[in-house]
Every structure is written in C-alpha cells, then in structure tokens.
Amino acid sequence: MTELKIIGKPIPRHDAWEKAFGLTTYAADFSLPGMLYGKVLRSQYPSAKILSIDTTKAEKLKGVHAVLTAKDVPRNESVTRFGQTHTVGGGFEGLYRVLADKKVHYMGEAVALVAAEAEEIAKRALELIRVEYQPVAGVFDPIEAMKLNVPQVQEGRSNIITHYEVIKGDVEQGFKEADVVVENTYHVPFVDHAYMEPESGVAWIDESGVITIRVSTQVIEHFRGIADVLNLPHNRVRVIGTYVGGGFGGKEDITVEAFLALLTFKTGKPVKLTYTREESILSHSKRHPYVMIYKTGAKKDGRLTALQARLVSDAGAYVYLSPWVLLYSMVNAAGPYRIPHVRVDGYTVLTNNTFTSANRGFGAPQVCFAYESQMDALARRIGLEPEKIRMINYLEKGEALATGQGLEHQVALKETTEKVLEALKDKSVASGRMKIGRGIASGMTSYGRMVFLHDTSRSHVSIEMDGSVTVRAGVQDIGGGQASSLCQIAAEVLGVPLEDIKVYIADTALTPFAGTTTATRQLYMSGNATLMAAREVRKVLIKKAAELLGIDREKLDLADREVIDKDRSGKSLPLKEVVRACASDGLPLYHVALFKAPFRNVTQLERIEGQVFPDFTFGTHGAEVAVDEETGTIRVLKLISSFDVGRAINRLSVEGQIEGGVIYGMGYGLTEEVILNQGITMTPSFSEYLLPTSMDVPELETILIESGDGVGPFGAKGIGEPSVCSVAPAISNAVYDAIGVRIYDLPLTPEKIVKAIKATNKAKAKAEVEGV
C-alpha cells in the first residue's frame, strides 16, 4: 500500500462522542423488566471454619426469591482457564471456588447469595442469614507461610504454589569479578485496581433457554467456566461484554458472572448484581505484594557483572493468576541490561490475605522498582551519573535476556533515555524547605501472552453494498480504544473514513473469539487478525476494479470511498460500484481471519529458558520532584515518558494510554496501598485508600519513537501496560536525588521520608562522634 492515510493520525475514536456526552451504556446502566437484585454475603473472618449456615429467616422475608449457599452450587469448584484453550499444567489453571464451603480463607470471601425484588430487601436478607464461625489460625506473612509447621491455607497442599529459577553463567564468579556490590531488600504493597466502574452485570434466560450474562469483563470466554459451574453445556451460556469503565486486570478473573448465572438459573428471572466500592476493595483481587532481595555487582567503569535476586510474592488465599504473574516477574527480574551472570529464584505463596491476581503491568512493575533502584544505587557508589551506568549496560537488538530469549526487534532504550534527559534539562528552582530532585528509570514489558499458551485471535470483516464496512470481533474494550483500533485498521485497508465503520464486539454467541483483553495483547492479536481479514476483502475489490477499469491491479488503491489509479491517470470508480459488481458475480465480500501468535511447547517451567513472549516494549520515565524534608511531603513537578511504540495506530489513543499509565504508576509510587492487618482490610474505601486526583497531576510530556519494528499491525508495539512500570522507580530515584535518602518500600509516604531522614541524620551524628 501507499502512504498511510488513517493509521497514525490523531483522530477521535469511533465511540468518543458517546463517551464524552455520557451516552455509553455501561454494565450497571442496564436493566430489564421484572429484574431481581443480587447481593453477596461475605466472611468477616480471614480464616475460620463454617460450622453452620441458617438461611431460614432470609428465605421467608417477603420479596426474596432465592438464597443460595455452597450446597446449592452444582459444581462449586472449577478450574479457571482465563480464555486459553491450550492446557499448560504446572499450576497455571487455578482453582476457582464459587462459594465458601466448610471454611473461609480470607476476609470478604463469598459465603451466600441472595436475589430479591429490591436492593433494600436483598440487604435485609443478608442480615437475616446466620453463619456460625469458628476462627482458626491463619498465616498472613508470605515469608512465614513458606516455613514448615505453619497453617496450610488450602487444606492438603503446600503454601508454596510455585518456584521458578532463571540461571545464566556463574553468579558467584560474577561477584568475584565485581569491584562494587550493592544489596538491598525491597517491599511493594497490595494495590487495588480502583477502576471507575465497579464489578457489575445483568443475567437472564432467553427464549431458547440460554443463560445470557451482560457483564463488565475482560474475558468473555469465561462462559465455559460458568457453564461448568452449573453443569451445563457450554453453548447454554452466553456472555455479552459491555464497554468497560476500567479493568486494569481486575476484571480478568470471574467476578459477578457465576453469581448472576446461579441466581437467574434458580429464580428463572433476570438478576442484576453490582458491587459497592467497599465490596470491591474488600473482596476482589489485588496487585501482588512482593519481598525482593537484590544483590548487584559491577566493575569500577560501571559494567555489570552479576545479579542475584530472590522474589517472594503473596498470592493471598487462592491461586488464580499468581504463577503467571511470577513468571512475568522472573523474565523481567534482571531488567533490560547486559549482565553476564544471573541467578533469580522466585516463589509465590498462599496466605490468608485477600487473593491477588492480574494488575496492570502483571509482575513487571514490582521488579522494575527493585532493579532500577539498584542501578541508581550502583551509580552513586561508583560515582557515575545514573544515565551513564544505564547507557553502558542497556541491551540492544540482537542480544538476549538472562532467560536466553533473543531480542529480535528494536530495543530503543538509549533513544528514549536521551529524549527524557533532554526534556528534564531545565531544572525547577527550589523554594523554602523544598529540595528539588530528578530521577530516571527504564523498563521493559512484554506484549502478547506467553508463547506456550498457543494464543489465537479471530476477526470478521465485511463490506456492505453501500460501501460501509462491518467488523466483528470478540474484543473486550476496557477503555483503551481496543475496538476503535480495529475500526481504524479496517478503514485504512479498505479506503473508507472511520465513520463508515461499524464494529460489533464481545459476544460469545455472535462475534468470533478474539481472546482476552489482557497482557497488552488485543492490538497485537486482534489488530493483526483484522488486518489480515481486511486485506483479503481488499484483494477481491482490487481484482474486480482492475477488470472494470482495465488497469493492472498493482496500480490501484482504495481511498476516500473510491478505487483510484495511483499513477494519477484520472481513472477511478466509486467503491460501492465495485462492491455491487463483486456481489453480482457472487464474489466473497467478507473474510474471517485467524491470527496465531508464535507457538512453543514447554515441557517444564521451573527453569525459565528461551522464548517466553512474542516481543517487548522498551521505554524510559523521568521525574522531577520537590520534597519537604521537615514534613516528608513529595510533590511531583514533572513526569516525562518516552517509548518506542513501533507504530502509533492512533496517536491520541497512544498518548492517552501513556498519560493514564503514568498517573496509575504515580499512585503506586506515592499513595496507594491496601493495608491488611492479620488479614483484616484496614483501607475499605477511598477515604482510606488514597488515589491521585486531578489536583495531583503534574506537568506531563509524552515523547513517542516509532521504529516500525513491532510485531503488531503496521509494526505496532503494545503500550497499555509498559506505560506503568518504570514510573514509581523514577519518582523514587528523584526523591533520593533531592534528599540523599533512599526508600526501599512503596508507597513513598511522608512518614517513611521523615523516618528515613531522621535515621540517616542519627547515623551521621553517631559517625561524627565516633570519628572525634
């Protein structure tokens, strides 16, 4: 094709006006006549036996249509596959328990369900259910949970779910070669997804007896697991995904779907269930807390010689996606650096805390905080500028990660760092007690799922008799413009404006399966599938137009609803005339394309070696902060982002994803933490769980590099999750630059700053006395 006409342009998304005017119908906006309201009774104990459940009074309450407990669930334990059809084993298919049976394993675990004619009646029914608990000893620290003779969270299995290792070279030899060694322990916290739209859905039974669930989800293909829970054939459950008001991984797991299916199956009536904000924080998955011990060695000139790391992640009470998240952390643990000798050991461990699962970045932000803090600490010890030690050690295209995976595509680390440094060169002026500091951090994040999952995506593209175009794909749009990107790709290939494209998404009965909207995969997977499908339709149109015009097909192009001669002969045809001619000849005006990611079978997963992901996105963040040494207050003044995005399909969407990711990462670095005390949630609402607000947003600058060397459509790379990962360490490094004190635990609260400053001053005073 000739010069791109729509791809790369900063044009409004196809759904932009609907969202701007508040017309988009989200999950909680939907209702049906005669609808019941669902509610969930949840445990107030993190670890307890269930001695009895008495639902008699609740069942007798006027307006209550159903009260369900574990005994009412046809198949209470199921395996969650998260959309993949290829069985991996090794703990990758986590146990999903619908309702607690005989024991509760974390505070907020679902114990019973109610469906009633009004929310107030459902709430009252919950109060009438009598559950007799016997609290039992739990375990709440992942390091303690790894020891022998501690309580087992899940009866009959070890608390250690998974152990992985990455080994390259001889790490002991690497440390012998080092002139400087830095060793630190880092902690990162539980974090909530805090999406604007809580978990919500409506279910009903259609006229053919199919249970239909209209739900806010990232994985419509959970319909199989929901059918398994009910012991129904898979084709008796239909899931329709809505436009989602934020997911960030929190709607990758089953949330309300199984509850809705059970209640509507029991009552025969439509049922709606929407979590309150407090319920969402209490009961659903969190970002994994990690304990990370890092030891890094380098020569005097800054060249890295060795890295040894031990990662321990807290899975909470159920497995869910913890083995997957840990695997991502392991691949990322050494960072985007050339290190001859590496050993990383990783563990994910069950506790009686709220369960943890996918969260934006999926294991990469945790280790990025550790390895980028280490790089800064090494630079200070050696006497190099932070950017200098990075430039010396950055990996380049053609080299390999510590796992042995070759980097076959552009690695734009030096370029992104140079761009960030240029943007940071004008330093703000300190005033009063405020100290100004600047920091950078680089990161790498995969896009696309692990290659041994045999990932696929499908897309259907058709052109109608009037030249308008329809795209059908099972994509879940979670706010990142996933559906709109497919429209833009089809518009580019078929030469029609974006307003001529209609897209149908996320319906297990009507749209081809496109896989999960997770792992920064949809543009890569469904984008390539749509590109393939559109190109097949284009071939048919071009061939017929060449016959009609008497021009070689290689000289024709599609643009502005016309077939045109690229040699500017003046010959052209309206697109709809060509479409009608094709239809008259019985030529296919649609195509369903299947895109397959790279496949690689893996026989063992404990030692992580070779290719794990299709490709990576690389970039750098820079931060400028002002720190008040007396109060510990941190004010972020600037955040600079530079990434190689391969090709920006829609520049506005790419910039929006990066800016949103930056603020998400800023919250991770400064304020956000779900605090659990012996399994009890101490931050149950946004009054205690502190999010960045619009008043906290600093000056933002986004600098895009387009190498065209990604594996997505038109050479695109994924950016949704990469945009988050290196923000917190950039801020942390800037804080160190300002006050000369390093904080090893996130978030960087004022209390931690003041405490660290006092400890440092005390140590200095003691050293001076001893020196005298």
Side-chain angles (χ1 to χ4, degrees):
M1 287 192 299
T2 55
E3 180 185 353
L4 297 174
K5 308 169 189 67
I6 297 176
I7 294 298
K9 303 299 186 291
I11 57 181
R13 296 179 189 170
H14 79 286
D15 58 351
W17 291 109
E18 283 188 5
K19 289 182 175 178
F21 286 106
L23 301 175
T24 303
T25 305
Y26 292 96
D29 297 324
F30 191 71
S31 60
L32 288 171
M35 185 175 70
L36 303 177
Y37 294 85
K39 287 292 178 183
V40 185
L41 181 68
R42 300 186 178 280
S43 168
Q44 297 302 305
Y45 295 92
S47 180
K49 292 181 180 179
I50 299 175
L51 301 181
S52 65
I53 304 178
D54 185 353
T55 61
T56 307
K57 291 183 179 180
E59 290 167 346
K60 291 179 179 179
L61 183 65
K62 185 178 179 180
V64 171
H65 286 245
V67 181
L68 306 180
T69 62
K71 64 180 174 55
D72 301 304
V73 184
R75 188 173 172 185
N76 196 38
E77 291 187 356
S78 183
V79 168
T80 50
R81 293 184 180 276
F82 303 94
Q84 91 259 19
T85 55
H86 185 74
T87 300
V88 180
F92 274 74
E93 286 81 33
L95 174 69
Y96 168 64
R97 185 173 286 121
V98 183
L99 293 174
D101 187 14
K102 299 177 183 176
K103 185 181 178 183
V104 293
H105 302 81
Y106 68 96
M107 182 182 178
E109 184 169 5
V111 175
L113 305 174
V114 169
E117 293 171 5
E119 283 193 84
E120 293 75 15
I121 298 173
K123 290 177 184 177
R124 176 59 182 150
L126 294 185
E127 295 169 359
L128 293 175
I129 299 173
R130 294 289 176 259
V131 184
E132 185 180 357
Y133 294 103
Q134 180 185 324
V136 296
V139 58
F140 307 101
D141 182 287
I143 304 300
E144 289 296 313
M146 296 174 71
K147 296 178 180 178
L148 298 175
N149 303 317
V150 297
Q152 288 183 327
V153 176
Q154 297 287 346
E155 295 77 3
R157 72 167 297 166
S158 168
N159 289 338
I160 300 175
I161 300 168
T162 306
H163 167 249
Y164 298 131
E165 60 185 18
V166 172
I167 299 175
K168 175 188 176 184
D170 181 342
V171 75
E172 292 184 5
Q173 178 61 33
F175 284 117
K176 288 179 182 177
E177 296 171 3
D179 297 316
V180 175
V181 175
V182 171
E183 184 170 7
N184 293 300
T185 299
Y186 301 90
H187 296 82
V188 291
F190 289 97
V191 174
D192 192 69
H193 304 84
Y195 19 68
M196 292 180 68
E197 176 198 23
E199 299 83 347
S200 182
V202 177
W204 66 94
I205 301 175
D206 72 14
E207 62 278 3
S208 66
V210 172
I211 295 175
T212 302
I213 309 169
R214 187 181 186 279
V215 66
S216 176
T217 181
Q218 295 177 239
V219 185
I220 60 172
E221 290 175 52
H222 278 317
F223 78 94
R224 302 184 186 100
I226 299 160
D228 290 343
V229 165
L230 293 172
N231 274 338
L232 291 175
H234 289 179
N235 64 2
R236 289 281 304 281
V237 175
R238 174 185 180 185
V239 173
I240 302 172
T242 65
Y243 281 94
V244 178
F248 314 119
K251 295 169 185 171
E252 181 171 348
D253 302 303
I254 293 173
T255 59
V256 297
E257 296 97 316
F259 298 156
L260 285 166
L262 284 162
L263 290 170
T264 201
F265 188 66
K266 176 72 172 179
T267 64
K269 291 180 174 290
V271 180
K272 182 174 184 175
L273 174 57
T274 300
Y275 289 175
T276 64
R277 179 62 61 187
E278 291 75 14
E279 191 175 12
S280 181
I281 292 175
L282 174 70
S283 65
H284 201 54
S285 68
K286 304 290 171 270
R287 186 192 292 280
H288 290 75
Y290 272 59
V291 179
M292 301 173 287
I293 302 171
Y294 264 69
K295 181 180 179 182
T296 315
K299 305 289 283 185
K300 290 179 181 177
D301 61 5
R303 285 182 296 116
L304 298 173
T305 63
L307 169 71
Q308 185 169 8
R310 186 171 190 261
L311 316 176
V312 179
S313 81
D314 188 339
Y318 286 93
V319 174
Y320 280 86
L321 287 166
S322 291
W324 306 41
V325 173
L326 179 64
L327 188 145
Y328 275 65
S329 296
M330 297 294 292
V331 173
N332 284 272
Y337 297 108
R338 187 183 306 109
I339 311 176
H341 306 284
V342 175
R343 175 161 189 127
V344 184
D345 285 277
Y347 302 85
T348 189
V349 184
L350 290 169
T351 67
N352 289 104
N353 293 318
T354 307
F355 74 93
T356 48
S357 195
N359 193 305
R360 191 174 186 178
F362 209 82
Q366 291 94 325
V367 293
C368 188
F369 174 61
Y371 67 68
E372 283 302 272
S373 296
Q374 287 289 99
M375 292 300 289
D376 248 44
L378 276 171
R380 307 290 178 178
R381 284 279 300 276
I382 295 170
L384 289 173
E385 293 296 319
E387 63 271 19
K388 180 70 173 178
I389 195 170
R390 288 174 170 83
M391 292 288 191
I392 291 169
N393 293 288
Y394 280 144
L395 287 166
E396 297 181 354
K397 183 177 179 177
E399 296 186 278
L401 302 175
T403 60
Q405 175 165 352
L407 299 175
E408 299 174 358
H409 302 276
Q410 185 68 16
V411 182
L413 290 163
K414 290 183 179 178
E415 297 94 322
T416 58
T417 298
E418 287 168 354
K419 298 286 187 184
V420 167
L421 291 172
E422 176 66 21
L424 280 175
K425 67 179 182 181
D426 296 325
K427 193 171 184 178
S428 299
V429 179
S431 62
R433 299 192 306 260
M434 305 301 283
K435 297 289 185 70
I436 305 296
R438 294 183 297 178
I440 63 168
S442 295
M444 52 176 276
T445 314
S446 59
Y447 60 100
R449 300 178 85 186
M450 295 165 280
V451 295
F452 49 78
L453 292 181
H454 291 208
D455 200 13
T456 60
S457 189
R458 298 156 187 81
S459 183
H460 175 288
V461 175
S462 61
I463 189 162
E464 312 305 332
M465 297 295 286
D466 63 352
S468 61
V469 174
T470 303
V471 178
R472 292 180 175 88
V475 169
Q476 300 89 181
D477 192 313
I478 62 174
Q482 288 84 2
S484 202
S485 294
L486 306 189
C487 295
Q488 209 162 337
I489 291 166
E492 178 70 51
V493 175
L494 296 174
V496 299
L498 201 58
E499 58 264 28
D500 283 3
I501 309 284
K502 174 64 179 175
V503 61
Y504 294 93
I505 64 170
D507 187 331
T508 59
L510 299 178
T511 54
F513 292 150
T516 65
T517 299
T518 65
T520 311
R521 67 174 288 283
Q522 279 296 0
L523 177 60
Y524 163 50
M525 296 295 298
S526 295
N528 273 326
T530 301
L531 180 61
M532 291 166 63
R535 282 176 171 170
E536 290 301 314
V537 174
R538 176 189 172 91
K539 285 179 185 177
V540 173
L541 296 171
I542 290 288
K543 183 179 179 182
K544 175 52 64 178
E547 294 173 6
L548 295 172
L549 290 168
I551 296 177
D552 188 298
R553 71 183 69 174
E554 298 298 324
K555 295 182 179 180
L556 295 180
D557 195 10
L558 304 181
D560 301 322
R561 302 188 181 102
E562 290 192 323
V563 182
I564 60 173
D565 182 359
K566 289 187 288 188
D567 288 346
R568 303 176 186 270
S569 67
K571 290 185 177 183
S572 66
L573 279 174
L575 183 60
K576 61 183 178 182
E577 286 189 22
V578 180
V579 172
R580 289 171 184 165
C582 290
S584 179
D585 289 351
L587 299 175
L589 292 169
Y590 69 90
H591 189 81
V592 181
L594 169 66
F595 178 73
K596 298 179 181 180
F599 288 179
R600 174 178 173 242
N601 287 322
V602 176
T603 56
Q604 67 82 31
L605 286 167
E606 183 166 348
R607 175 76 65 87
I608 301 171
E609 296 176 315
Q611 185 181 16
V612 178
F613 299 106
D615 192 27
F616 297 85
T617 299
F618 298 90
T620 302
H621 280 110
E624 183 178 86
V625 302
V627 185
D628 186 325
E629 289 187 293
E630 188 172 312
T631 66
T633 301
I634 301 170
R635 187 158 64 93
V636 181
L637 305 176
K638 297 177 187 175
L639 283 172
I640 315 297
S641 309
S642 183
F643 283 88
D644 172 21
V645 299
R647 172 87 64 183
I649 300 299
N650 185 321
R651 182 167 286 267
L652 285 178
S653 289
V654 172
E655 291 175 349
Q657 280 277 45
I658 293 175
E659 290 173 3
V662 165
I663 304 308
Y664 200 90
M666 188 176 83
Y668 188 46
L670 294 179
T671 61
E672 295 188 45
E673 180 178 13
V674 175
I675 299 172
L676 294 170
N677 182 4
Q678 295 294 292
I680 306 297
T681 303
M682 310 301 291
T683 50
S685 73
F686 286 165
S687 295
E688 302 86 9
Y689 185 84
L690 303 180
L691 291 168
T693 71
S694 59
M695 299 300 291
D696 301 308
V697 176
E699 176 187 335
L700 301 178
E701 184 175 351
T702 299
I703 306 165
L704 302 185
I705 293 173
E706 294 187 80
S707 66
D709 197 23
V711 296
F714 302 99
K717 290 175 175 258
I719 194 61
E721 291 176 284
S723 60
V724 172
C725 296
S726 51
V727 179
I731 293 172
S732 178
N733 290 338
V735 170
Y736 179 86
D737 184 58
I739 62 175
V741 175
R742 185 165 297 281
I743 309 298
Y744 300 97
D745 304 342
L746 294 180
L748 306 175
T749 62
E751 294 83 357
K752 290 176 185 176
I753 298 292
V754 171
K755 184 178 179 181
I757 289 173
K758 287 181 177 178
T760 300
N761 291 340
K762 185 177 180 181
K764 286 180 180 178
K766 182 179 178 182
E768 289 175 3
V769 170
E770 291 176 350
V772 172

